[in-house]
């Protein structure tokens, strides 16, 4: 599996996890790998103004006519992420094209491999930055001024990487794309119990990120009586427990995975605890209600200690229901189960603009965003085979173009 070519890039020696945040050295190395793969004869590399990379197969047939089939995913990772989340979709896309070319298959429509920049939002806090900028869902002004942990803005970072932040915004490349199929490692255990190596996505839960700033009063850990403290860590801790209780009760998800404590001294009561909540639920009203309840519990806990809390929404991804016709067509073609996901994806972003679908490859651990994420070689091969079959179906030879046109007509009629 060509995933092995990427195995050493950005891998942390101690944790075994991948540290491939957007525009990091590791990400740049991955982007070079992509450019190399896109440099194969018959492919053509295009990078849009947002840093999204595309490798066109049959570029000559491209143009602003929405005729192309996009496949691919992302190459960046969360801190200490697994090897498969993102890269599996990109390498499988190149492998599927390679396989089809060896069999002499020539698509009548362009097929394009994509690498969407900064899908995870690990560095600047907003997920799916590349795809959201490309579709216009995100305005460059909303993201260019955001800072990473070192205080560098995204604008500074991309400039240092030889890109022009002024070029950020809606991508003309998408004008040539009519359909997106993203292959991705499964981030749950549905396929493990279904006996299928590959599944098809039905929906993505709405999800978002909120920053909770708990403010108190720094003081001496030994000299300050317990009754005299205004310790923001207490309200933070109470809020973590409340979020767990409320999300469990609502059948939703709530996670505090990131925390910054000031001044961060062992023997000092903190002056400020800055924390980030990732919350997800089946519907948007359920998600809003959950966050509202968490906010109220945080405010009550803060008030009890004479501290304060402020909640700021940093990002929001609406619910996605993937194009039903495309979903059913692929599920029937592949004889694959259909399953929802609680994870966010670029395919969800693009689904607002074109028919989009996802193929999930079985992950026996069910674990993701961790080095324990896994897919067997056999299942990865099954994923590549499924993707090759999907390319044959959606970017067929000349004589079966009618079914593809039917799909695009379906989009115009609002089948999403
Ligand atoms: C992306 O992987 C997300 O759902 O956070
Ligand atoms: Mn991920
Ligand atoms: Mn992913």
């Amino acid at each position: 599996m060509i995933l092995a070519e990427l195995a050493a890039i950005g891998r942390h020696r101690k944790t075994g996890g991948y540290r491939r945040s957007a525009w990091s050295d590791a990400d740049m190395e991955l982007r070079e790998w992509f450019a190399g793969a896109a440099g194969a004869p018959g492919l053509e590399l295009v990078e849009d103004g947002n840093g999204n990379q595309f490798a066109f197969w049959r570029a000559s047939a491209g143009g602003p006519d929405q005729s192309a089939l996009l496949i691919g995913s992302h190459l960046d990772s969360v801190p200490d992420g697994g090897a498969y989340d993102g890269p599996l979709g990109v390498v499988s896309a190149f492998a599927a094209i390679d396989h089809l070319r060896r069999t002499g298959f020539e698509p009548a429509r362009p097929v394009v491999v994509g690498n969407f920049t900064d899908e995870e939002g690990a560095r600047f806090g907003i997920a799916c930055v590349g795809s959201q900028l490309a579709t216009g869902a995100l305005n460059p002004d909303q993201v260019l001024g955001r800072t990473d942990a070192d205080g560098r803005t995204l604008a500074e970072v991309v400039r240092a990487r030889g890109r022009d932040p002024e070029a950020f915004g809606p991508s003309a490349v998408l004008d040539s794309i009519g359909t997106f199929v993203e292959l991705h490692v499964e981030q749950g255990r549905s396929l493990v119990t279904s006996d299928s190596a590959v599944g098809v996505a039905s929906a993505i839960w709405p999800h978002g990120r909120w920053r909770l700033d708990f403010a108190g009063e720094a003081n001496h850990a030994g000299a300050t009586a317990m009754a005299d403290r205004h310790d923001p860590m207490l309200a933070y801790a109470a809020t973590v427990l409340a979020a767990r209780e409320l999300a469990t009760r609502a059948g939703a998800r709530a996670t505090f995975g990131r925390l910054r404590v000031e001044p961060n001294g062992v023997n000092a009561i903190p002056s400020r605890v800055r924390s980030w909540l990732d919350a997800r639920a089946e519907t948007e009203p359920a998600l809003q209600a959950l966050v509202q309840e968490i906010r109220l519990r945080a405010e009550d806990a803060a008030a009890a200690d004479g501290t304060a809390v402020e909640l700021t929404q940093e990002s929001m991804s609406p619910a996605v229901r993937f194009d039903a016709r495309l979903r059913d067509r692929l599920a029937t073609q592949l004889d694959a189960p259909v399953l929802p996901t609680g994870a966010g994806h670029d395919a969800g972003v693009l689904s607002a603009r074109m028919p989009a679908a996802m193929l999930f490859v079985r992950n026996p651990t069910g674990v993701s965003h961790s080095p324990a994420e896994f897919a067997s070689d056999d299942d990865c091969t099954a994923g590549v085979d499924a993707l090759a079959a999907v390319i044959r179906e959606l970017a067929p030879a000349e004589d079966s173009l009618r079914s593809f046109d039917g799909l695009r007509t379906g989009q115009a009629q609002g089948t999403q």
Side-chain angles (χ1 to χ4, degrees):
M1 184 75 194
I2 54 174
L3 205 48
E5 289 178 16
L6 311 183
I9 302 175
R11 186 161 190 261
H12 193 262
R13 250 184 301 143
K14 283 200 176 129
T15 64
Y18 287 95
R19 299 183 178 183
R20 296 166 166 172
S21 60
W23 304 108
S24 63
D25 288 349
D27 191 35
M28 296 312 289
E29 224 183 301
L30 291 162
R31 301 171 68 82
E32 276 193 21
W33 171 86
F34 186 99
L43 299 186
E44 187 181 312
L45 175 68
V46 176
E47 182 174 314
D48 74 7
N50 310 299
N52 299 313
Q53 293 177 297
F54 301 94
F56 275 76
W57 181 21
R58 274 191 53 111
S60 56
D65 60 353
Q66 299 189 322
S67 68
L69 168 65
L70 177 65
I71 53 180
S73 189
H74 62 96
L75 292 174
D76 67 311
S77 80
V78 296
D80 281 334
Y84 299 85
D85 177 357
L88 183 65
V90 178
V91 302
S92 298
F94 280 116
I97 287 179
D98 196 43
H99 168 74
L100 289 171
R101 291 176 73 184
R102 279 170 206 268
T103 64
F105 177 82
E106 271 288 328
R109 311 271 188 184
V111 178
V112 188
V113 182
N115 165 31
F116 284 103
T117 300
D118 199 0
E119 192 272 350
E120 297 288 7
R123 185 166 179 184
F124 296 98
I126 296 182
C128 297
V129 171
S131 56
Q132 289 205 76
L133 286 167
T135 60
L138 194 62
N139 191 304
D141 295 342
Q142 293 171 272
V143 75
L144 280 169
R146 293 188 65 90
T147 50
D148 64 10
D150 297 328
R152 298 178 73 201
T153 64
L154 175 59
E156 281 167 41
V157 166
V158 296
R159 218 176 271 122
R161 293 303 191 183
R163 273 48 174 204
D164 177 10
E166 297 287 320
F168 271 38
S171 171
V173 175
L174 293 192
D175 294 340
S176 64
I177 311 284
T179 310
F180 181 29
V181 178
E182 179 173 2
L183 178 147
H184 203 278
V185 70
E186 200 206 346
Q187 298 172 295
R189 296 182 51 83
S190 302
L191 292 174
V192 180
T193 47
S194 85
D195 277 349
S196 294
V198 176
V200 174
S202 58
I204 297 178
W205 278 16
H207 54 284
R209 298 179 185 187
W210 290 262
R211 196 181 73 236
L212 283 84
D213 289 304
F214 296 89
E217 187 179 277
N219 212 333
H220 196 285
T224 316
M226 299 309 280
D228 294 341
R229 299 175 178 218
H230 301 288
D231 181 352
M233 188 65 86
L234 301 179
Y236 164 71
T239 305
V240 173
L241 296 177
R244 179 187 168 89
E245 175 199 320
L246 294 165
T248 304
R249 195 187 302 155
R253 311 262 200 272
T255 307
F256 283 92
R258 186 170 176 216
L259 185 66
R260 234 166 46 208
V261 181
E262 293 172 20
N264 208 23
V266 180
N267 54 354
I269 296 164
S271 58
R272 173 180 289 269
V273 174
R274 175 166 281 198
S275 61
W276 282 265
L277 166 71
D278 177 309
R280 311 183 187 217
E282 198 171 351
T283 65
E284 282 161 44
L287 178 57
Q288 293 302 349
L290 172 66
V291 174
Q292 190 53 23
E293 283 182 87
I294 293 173
R295 175 210 290 269
L296 292 176
R297 295 280 283 270
E299 286 171 351
D300 284 353
D305 298 317
T307 58
V309 60
E310 238 179 72
L311 182 141
T312 310
Q313 181 175 300
E314 293 205 331
S315 70
M316 181 64 183
S317 305
V320 172
R321 295 208 72 79
F322 286 110
D323 184 277
R325 279 178 54 176
L326 181 57
R327 174 200 70 202
D328 292 346
R329 186 171 169 183
L330 300 190
T332 304
Q333 182 202 1
L334 303 171
D335 190 20
V338 173
L339 38 133
T341 174
H345 299 283
D346 295 309
V349 175
L350 264 66
S351 72
R353 161 134 178 189
M354 63 183 72
M358 293 193 72
L359 304 183
F360 290 131
V361 173
R362 179 163 51 197
N363 171 1
T365 67
V367 175
S368 188
H369 286 183
S370 144
E373 180 179 276
F374 185 65
S376 71
D377 282 354
D378 283 352
D379 286 357
C380 290
T381 302
V384 172
D385 290 346
L387 196 53
V390 165
I391 294 170
R392 282 184 186 278
E393 173 83 4
L394 300 182
E398 289 290 345
D399 56 3
S400 45
L401 280 182
R402 188 171 300 166
S403 58
F404 188 89
D405 285 337
L407 186 68
R408 290 168 57 208
T409 308
Q411 180 202 12
Q413 290 166 349
T415 56
Q416 292 204 67

